[in-house]
Amino acid sequence: MSQEPGTHEPQETEPAHAAAVELGDLAALKALAQPRRQRMLEHLALHGPATSATLARALGLNTGSTSYHLRELARYGFVEETDAADTSPALGEDPSSVRRAEPSAHRERWWRAVPGDRRFPPRSRQSPEMRLVMDELNHHAYAADLDLFERLQRNAPEDDPWADAFPYSRGTIRLTLPELRDFFEEYIALLNRYKRSEAETPPDARTLLTRFLAFPAPSPASSPAFDPPPGDGADADAGEDDARDDDTGDDDTCDDESDGRGCGHPGREADRS
């Protein structure tokens, strides 16, 4: 999740786009910042409705713990009970393989992630306590996103066409604050343009995780000197560089610092060339 200008959580595809809602309640933010709840919410968003038992098995938790966390998430409107006992296709799963849950004499409580466009208050309007909560929330969320990106890219089978499905871009642009807000809203509009109902989604489509992150570059006059990471200097040990290349493949990162357009990452194509 990202901060203001906003965080967009298209957790489920629905025809209508809900209005943006600002999460200004400190208690709600604290409930959301709990790492296990973030994992549960992400699982529900990707894999569809689940019970506390199925969530516990998937995430390596106990059922009592997941039940408690689900109730806390529901208390602040992040999840809700649902009568739908069939799940959505998992990430990369064939929709035809998804099975409907069998009826049971014992009523199971199924939960789904509540979709929506949720925004955090801008940092200038956050109290010191809220900033601490937001920093904790973002730390866990960004770390989990980066870890998942690296694992999926590293483990993608080379004969899988979706092995190329890891585009990213790095670039720079010069904007005023109002222009930045407009830029972000255009990004949200682009995501919404590609949202569609399950019935309209092609059978070969897969769920894609999208993340947006932008931040002002440090000012040379007010920032400490930049310390390059180990190995980036001219006297870096060549053996360490060779070992790093063996582990990660060619440097596929694509920078376009001249005009901020960025460019696509071809996934694992470079490993096969």
Side-chain angles (χ1 to χ4, degrees), residues 170-181:
R170 299 177 67 209
T172 59
I173 51 178
R174 293 179 65 84
L175 300 173
T176 64
L177 281 174
E179 288 173 337
L180 175 59
R181 295 187 183 97

Side-chain angles (χ1 to χ4, degrees), residues 206-262:
R206 287 182 59 169
T207 299
L208 292 177
L209 302 177
T210 60
R211 302 293 185 261
F212 176 91
L213 177 65
F215 48 92
S219 169
S222 60
S223 302
F226 172 70
D227 294 325
D232 281 1
D235 58 346
D237 183 77
E240 292 179 359
D241 288 344
D242 292 340
R244 189 185 306 112
D245 289 342
D246 289 341
D247 289 339
T248 62
D250 295 336
D251 184 6
D252 296 330
T253 302
C254 195
D255 291 334
D256 186 348
E257 298 295 340
S258 60
D259 60 6
R261 288 178 299 172

Side-chain angles (χ1 to χ4, degrees), residues 31 57 77 83 117 154 157 191 205 233-234 262:
R57 287 193 297 270
D83 293 331
D117 183 355
R154 183 171 58 247
L191 286 183

Side-chain angles (χ1 to χ4, degrees), residues 131-246:
R131 288 186 180 184
L132 290 176
V133 174
M134 288 300 309
D135 289 346
E136 184 74 6
L137 189 156
N138 287 330
H139 170 75
H140 290 293
Y142 295 154
D145 286 342
L146 182 59
D147 178 69
L148 181 60
F149 177 89
E150 292 178 341
R151 284 191 290 111
L152 291 176
Q153 185 181 45
R154 183 171 58 247
N155 298 329
E158 295 197 7
D159 58 350
D160 182 358
W162 285 90
D164 292 339
F166 295 87
Y168 65 84
S169 169
R170 299 177 67 209
T172 59
I173 51 178
R174 293 179 65 84
L175 300 173
T176 64
L177 281 174
E179 288 173 337
L180 175 59
R181 295 187 183 97
D182 292 341
F183 181 89
F184 184 82
E185 294 302 333
E186 289 181 28
Y187 166 76
I188 297 299
L190 178 63
L191 286 183
N192 286 333
R193 200 177 88 199
Y194 281 89
K195 291 175 68 175
R196 53 195 168 190
S197 67
E198 190 66 32
E200 297 173 322
T201 302
D204 59 343
R206 287 182 59 169
T207 299
L208 292 177
L209 302 177
T210 60
R211 302 293 185 261
F212 176 91
L213 177 65
F215 48 92
S219 169
S222 60
S223 302
F226 172 70
D227 294 325
D232 281 1
D235 58 346
D237 183 77
E240 292 179 359
D241 288 344
D242 292 340
R244 189 185 306 112
D245 289 342
D246 289 341

Side-chain angles (χ1 to χ4, degrees), residues 3-7 9 19-26 28-29 76 78 116-126 130 134:
Q3 280 187 216
E4 184 72 18
T7 182
E9 301 180 56
V21 176
E22 184 173 282
L23 298 178
D25 180 54
L26 183 59
L29 293 174
Y76 296 102
F78 299 117
D117 183 355
R118 299 187 177 97
R119 313 287 180 100
F120 297 135
R123 198 164 181 86
S124 60
R125 287 200 281 109
Q126 295 174 14
M130 183 179 290
M134 288 300 309

Side-chain angles (χ1 to χ4, degrees), residues 82-100:
T82 177
D83 293 331
D86 55 336
T87 61
S88 303
L91 188 64
E93 185 177 3
D94 181 357
S96 64
S97 67
V98 178
R99 296 182 299 174
R100 187 177 299 274

